[in-house]
Amino acid sequence: MAASKKTLWWLAGWYPSSRNSMAGDFIARHLDVARQHYHIRLFHFPLYGEGEARPEPVSVPDGVILEWHPIVQKRGGTWARFWNANTYKKAVLSVLKKAYEGEQPNAVHLHAPDKLAMPVSIFMHGKNQPLYLTEHWAIYDGQAEDAFENRAWWFRRAQRQLWKRVDKHLAVSMPLHRDMERVLGAAKPVEALPNVVNESLFVPSDEP
């Protein structure tokens, strides 16, 4: 008799939506592979501005439970940015806490954290479930214009707090893993993920 699948919460910082069908396309492809091995509950919190159309999901793999929670953002300067960050954190924590009361997963996977870093590190504090992290962002090698070192202090703090709680890094490349260990200040167990690049869109160039 086959063993029953474990439950995995998948928290996605990016995911295809009616606003941008290619945003987080890589996450959707990873998810499609993982659903063969886990019962997956997918959480996504897409942002949209006041007066804009609410983003809607464009596709969800069969068998995946979708938690789709759009969060409106105000326009403006410093006050609006503070309001947006606080609103986002409260909304994410409220959804996760309510879901946890009804179902405790076997594990949690945070994919491309971005703004999810802070609320997820707060939510996972004191919980026994392992936290897996996958990152794709090339901000950790110091070469990008928006390199980690150039980001706001609160962003750097959130990513470091999250990294402390991570149990295993599911890395898309070992160079990225080494850069993250160096920048975020701690060694972490790592497992390399299989390639899910859409080769119909991205192909090697014949040019040197």
Side-chain angles (χ1 to χ4, degrees):
M1 185 176 182
S4 60
K5 293 180 181 178
K6 292 185 177 180
T7 300
L8 177 66
W9 281 12
W10 197 294
L11 315 181
W14 296 83
Y15 201 77
S17 74
S18 55
R19 288 177 61 99
N20 186 345
S21 62
M22 296 302 294
D25 173 66
F26 50 90
I27 294 179
R29 284 181 275 112
H30 277 292
L31 178 67
D32 195 41
V33 174
R35 71 185 177 89
Q36 302 172 36
H37 307 284
Y38 296 94
H39 290 299
I40 294 178
R41 191 169 184 175
L42 169 65
F43 294 81
H44 183 49
F45 304 85
L47 303 177
Y48 66 106
E50 289 181 318
E52 297 177 347
R54 174 187 168 102
E56 301 296 341
V58 293
S59 65
V60 183
D62 291 340
V64 171
I65 298 173
L66 176 63
E67 292 271 0
W68 189 266
H69 300 276
I71 301 174
V72 67
Q73 301 281 272
K74 291 185 178 296
R75 304 179 188 279
T78 302
W79 180 88
R81 289 195 295 272
F82 174 80
W83 188 93
N84 290 339
N86 193 49
T87 297
Y88 183 85
K89 181 180 72 172
K90 287 183 176 180
V92 171
L93 284 172
S94 176
V95 168
L96 296 181
K97 288 177 180 178
K98 183 176 180 180
Y100 194 80
E101 291 173 358
E103 174 199 54
Q104 296 190 7
N106 296 105
V108 176
H109 180 206
L110 178 54
H111 202 153
D114 194 9
K115 293 178 175 63
L116 281 172
M118 180 56 71
V120 171
S121 63
I122 294 172
F123 171 74
M124 292 299 297
H125 180 72
K127 292 182 171 58
N128 296 323
Q129 286 84 0
L131 176 61
Y132 305 127
L133 173 68
T134 300
E135 180 61 277
H136 296 255
W137 218 347
I139 63 171
Y140 294 97
D141 65 358
Q143 300 182 46
E145 184 177 344
D146 60 346
F148 183 85
E149 294 83 354
N150 299 332
R151 304 303 294 265
W153 68 267
W154 55 264
F155 176 89
R156 300 195 305 270
R157 182 177 183 272
Q159 303 304 318
R160 289 191 171 111
Q161 288 296 113
L162 174 66
W163 189 249
K164 289 179 182 179
R165 178 56 182 82
V166 167
D167 293 286
K168 180 180 284 189
H169 182 203
L170 304 181
V172 297
S173 78
M174 291 309 296
L176 174 58
H177 174 69
R178 289 190 290 269
D179 284 337
M180 292 180 71
E181 286 188 324
R182 173 180 54 82
V183 170
L184 298 176
K188 290 291 180 178
V190 61
E191 182 175 336
L193 291 176
N195 176 34
V196 295
V197 170
N198 187 342
E199 294 181 353
S200 67
L201 295 175
F202 302 100
V203 296
S205 173
D206 293 330
E207 298 180 3

